[in-house]
Amino acid sequence: MSKESFPLSKVYGLLEPGPVVLVTTAREGRANIMTMSWHMMMEFEPPMLACVISNGNFSFDSLKATKQCVINIPTVELSKKVVDCGNSSGRTVDKFKEFGLTPVAASSVEAPLIDECYANLECRVVDDKMVAKYNLFILEVVKAWIDPRKEHPQTIHHLGEGAFMVAGETIHLPSKMK
């Protein structure tokens, strides 16, 4: 066999499920942005996803209390701001002001959309049974927005230790799934 052992602490970089996103929450009139890459789709209709938010993050208490957030999907052009948001705390920084991002009122939740992101998913927590043990929230997308001017958005995907992959070429293969 030509393979070698791989450190278990780096496995997450092999399996990151999707693009890095910016989660917005709002509580008591204060909005926050959190960078997140630990999420996964769970269902098509209604669209449901799961995400892990550490109980040490400022956004954790807000999401737990309000049971609503927006998953904002940035493109590679926002990558520096995405990393900057992830390297600062909403406890001490207004990330919208600090990083020049524009909050836009959502239609179904109190948390704001980020205007610069190419897609925004307004979400409500529908299951919090695994929050205490795993910090895992189950969300239902109740409204989705997309910027139609961005035809081929390139998202970023976290590989760990400051490394990111940029989504690239799209290929189409025949599918019998409908």
Side-chain angles (χ1 to χ4, degrees):
M1 181 166 84
S2 62
K3 297 189 178 173
E4 61 184 51
S5 180
F6 190 74
L8 295 178
S9 64
K10 296 184 179 191
V11 167
Y12 69 92
L14 300 173
L15 293 174
E16 283 299 333
V20 175
V21 300
L22 295 171
V23 179
T24 51
T25 54
R27 184 176 179 200
E28 299 171 357
R30 186 162 180 223
N32 188 47
I33 304 170
M34 184 193 98
T35 301
M36 178 178 71
S37 61
W38 291 9
H39 54 81
M40 68 176 182
M41 286 300 304
M42 294 183 62
E43 186 58 78
F44 294 107
E45 288 187 42
M48 293 179 60
L49 56 108
C51 67
V52 174
I53 297 179
S54 170
N55 60 10
N57 285 347
F58 184 64
S59 294
F60 178 88
D61 289 332
S62 182
L63 182 57
K64 191 172 176 187
T66 66
K67 298 192 180 310
Q68 28 181 292
C69 66
V70 177
I71 304 296
N72 301 275
I73 306 173
T75 55
V76 68
E77 293 82 9
L78 292 175
S79 57
K80 180 165 179 5
K81 292 181 182 195
V82 168
V83 171
D84 288 344
C85 283
N87 287 326
S88 60
S89 172
R91 285 185 182 86
T92 57
V93 174
D94 178 336
K95 296 183 189 183
F96 280 100
K97 287 182 183 173
E98 182 74 18
F99 304 118
L101 296 168
T102 310
V104 175
S107 67
S108 301
V109 299
E110 294 299 315
L113 284 62
I114 299 174
D115 193 42
E116 291 79 5
C117 289
Y118 97 93
N120 315 85
L121 311 174
E122 298 182 31
C123 300
R124 294 189 186 276
V125 175
V126 292
D127 188 338
D128 61 2
K129 292 181 190 82
M130 295 195 287
V131 171
K133 188 170 184 179
Y134 298 109
N135 300 328
L136 182 74
F137 293 88
I138 309 300
L139 309 173
E140 179 180 341
V141 179
V142 295
K143 181 70 178 171
W145 303 93
I146 194 150
D147 185 343
R149 297 169 297 177
K150 296 185 179 171
E151 293 184 35
H152 302 287
Q154 289 187 294
T155 53
I156 58 173
H157 303 255
H158 188 235
L159 301 175
E161 299 177 356
F164 295 85
M165 177 179 63
V166 177
E169 180 182 357
T170 299
I171 62 173
H172 297 276
L173 303 171
S175 173
K176 294 181 182 182
M177 303 290 293
K178 298 225 181 204

